[in-house]
């Protein structure tokens, strides 16, 4: 049985809507996890501060301008949050060797230790959920999500 173009399109629309629904549920879960991790990192920490800190960790060393740009966030808000993270001892600033007017922001050992503690419950949950998955499926899902995020066709 050959499908008409309209039937194929409705199948695609249905599939995309199902994907959108799953993303909505996943986003809700991620928001909850970020809030819980932020609270474990430092009681009262907001999820946005946690996101800024994890971005610093991922980048290893970053200027305030580059951090704000990568987060598509207001530089003033990022600057205030960075000051708060510095006061908590989670980050440090060093002079930027490429620009004497700027500083490089990096995580401290204390910040990395707190992050490991904050992430531990979810990391073990994700490992448990994926325990029965073949590694090839996990790698494929990562590739597909990357392709979707970057707008590229998966290979």
């Amino acid at each position: 049985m050959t499908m008409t173009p309209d039937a194929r399109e409705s199948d695609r629309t249905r599939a995309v809507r199902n994907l959108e629904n799953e993303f909505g549920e996943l986003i809700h879960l991620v928001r909850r996890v970020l809030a819980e991790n932020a609270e474990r990192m430092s009681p009262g920490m907001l999820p946005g501060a946690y996101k800024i800190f994890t971005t610093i960790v991922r980048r290893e060393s970053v200027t305030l301008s580059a951090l704000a740009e990568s987060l598509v966030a207001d530089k003033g808000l990022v600057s205030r949050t960075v000051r708060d993270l510095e006061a908590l001892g989670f980050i440090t600033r060093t002079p930027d060797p490429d620009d004497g007017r700027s500083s490089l922001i990096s995580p401290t050992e204390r910040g990395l230790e707190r992050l490991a503690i904050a992430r531990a419950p979810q990391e073990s949950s994700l490992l448990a959920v994926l325990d029965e998955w073949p590694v090839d499926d996990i790698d494929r899902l990562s590739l597909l999500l990357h392709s979707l995020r970057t707008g590229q066709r998966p290979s």
Side-chain angles (χ1 to χ4, degrees):
M1 173 186 224
T2 312
M3 295 183 80
T4 66
D6 287 343
R8 280 195 303 271
E9 186 61 32
S10 66
D11 285 346
R12 178 171 295 281
T13 300
R14 177 197 47 75
V16 169
R17 286 180 181 158
N18 287 340
L19 179 62
E20 181 182 14
N21 288 334
E22 289 301 323
F23 274 132
E25 293 299 319
L26 187 59
I27 289 167
H28 177 72
L29 174 64
V30 167
R31 285 183 177 153
R32 191 187 84 226
V33 166
L34 289 176
E36 291 170 357
N37 285 0
E39 186 65 25
R40 276 192 296 277
M41 180 101 185
S42 180
M45 178 183 269
L46 297 175
Y50 178 81
K51 178 65 177 161
I52 288 172
F53 180 71
T54 58
T55 302
I56 294 167
V57 169
R58 190 174 54 257
R59 300 281 300 269
E60 296 180 5
S61 186
V62 63
T63 64
L64 184 64
S65 295
L67 179 61
E69 185 178 314
S70 74
L71 292 166
V72 190
D74 176 71
K75 191 174 177 182
L77 172 67
V78 173
S79 179
R80 286 187 296 278
T81 303
V82 163
R83 279 194 304 273
D84 293 344
L85 292 169
E86 190 173 27
L88 289 166
F90 294 163
I91 62 162
T92 188
R93 297 181 205 225
T94 56
D96 183 347
D98 298 328
D99 181 354
R101 301 165 295 160
S102 186
S103 297
L104 293 174
I105 304 163
S106 305
T108 62
E109 281 303 313
R110 172 177 160 68
L112 294 172
E113 288 168 4
R114 294 299 309 161
L115 181 60
I117 290 166
R119 284 179 165 168
Q122 273 74 34
E123 285 180 346
S124 62
S125 292
L126 189 55
L127 284 170
V129 167
L130 296 175
D131 187 54
E132 299 293 319
W133 284 41
V135 172
D136 288 345
D137 286 353
I138 298 169
D139 287 339
R140 181 73 178 151
L141 177 59
S142 295
L143 174 71
L144 291 170
L145 289 172
H146 175 80
S147 296
L148 182 61
R149 180 178 58 81
T150 60
Q152 299 173 351
R153 185 177 178 166
S155 52

